[in-house]
Amino acid sequence: AQRRASTVAAEAASVATAAPRVDVGGLLQGAGLARRGAALEELRRALLRGGPGYFYAAGVEPLLGETAQVYELSRALHALPASVKRRFVDGGSSSQGAAYSGSDV
């Protein structure tokens, strides 16, 4: 089982390094023509011209909007001390309209 896990990890690392990175931000409204053209060419190479048929999307930060805030708040919540999180464990704080169910408390 351990050998299988290391093989899977090695294959995943190989795929990650082989996947082209495409700046899809060049396709967003307001991107300059040069950036848009570069993004289109990167897409063509990744998908049509001998590339692997997939790519990692970069430059997507403007698309994240409030989603990025949710992830940041989630990271902040999980970084709180366990003593604080215990106050919000399900059952102890449902009257406050909030509950924490992380495996660390």
Side-chain angles (χ1 to χ4, degrees):
Q2 185 177 7
R3 184 172 181 211
R4 174 73 178 134
S6 65
T7 302
V8 169
E11 289 172 359
S14 173
V15 168
T17 58
R21 182 182 171 276
V22 175
D23 177 14
V24 296
L27 304 175
L28 300 178
Q29 185 176 10
L33 289 178
R35 187 175 178 198
R36 182 175 303 271
L40 290 171
E41 183 54 35
E42 290 171 2
L43 282 170
R44 283 185 198 100
R45 278 197 308 264
L47 301 174
L48 302 172
R49 295 187 185 149
Y54 55 90
F55 59 91
Y56 283 109
V60 297
E61 294 78 12
L63 299 174
L64 295 178
E66 292 181 5
T67 303
Q69 286 182 309
V70 170
Y71 279 106
E72 185 54 41
L73 290 170
S74 176
R75 281 189 286 277
L77 170 68
H78 289 286
L80 289 170
S83 60
V84 172
K85 291 185 273 189
R86 272 189 213 97
R87 294 180 15 217
F88 297 93
V89 171
D90 193 22
S93 64
S94 58
S95 63
Q96 297 175 17
Y100 181 80
S101 60
S103 61
D104 57 338
V105 292

